Amino acid sequence: MIASRIIQAMGAGILVQLVQIIILKLYPIESRGAAMGITSILIAIGLVGIILYVKDGGLKEKITCLT
């Protein structure tokens, strides 16, 4: 289980770098900063969502509208 999580983390790290490279290739110099900032914000929101879901056994059990 731990080995598979390590492989998953390595893959995620590679994908984040590939997204940054694609942004560098697609956007002109003037708008690269904004594009990279938006991408970083979206990645951070995704990470916070994962942390909130995993913390305390997950939020799914605490939210009643999902059941």
Side-chain angles (χ1 to χ4, degrees):
M1 180 77 167
I2 293 174
S4 62
R5 294 294 283 179
I6 291 171
I7 293 170
Q8 181 183 14
M10 289 173 23
I14 291 169
L15 286 178
V16 169
Q17 298 303 319
L18 287 175
V19 167
Q20 297 294 328
I21 291 170
I22 290 170
I23 288 172
L24 287 174
K25 294 290 184 183
L26 290 179
Y27 288 93
I29 294 174
E30 298 83 26
S31 60
R32 284 182 188 167
M36 289 181 143
I38 291 170
T39 304
S40 299
I41 289 171
L42 293 174
I43 291 170
I45 289 171
L47 291 175
V48 169
I50 291 170
I51 291 169
L52 289 177
Y53 184 78
V54 171
K55 185 179 177 186
D56 296 326
L59 292 177
K60 195 192 278 188
E61 291 84 19
K62 296 179 182 178
I63 300 175
T64 57
C65 65
L66 294 177
T67 57

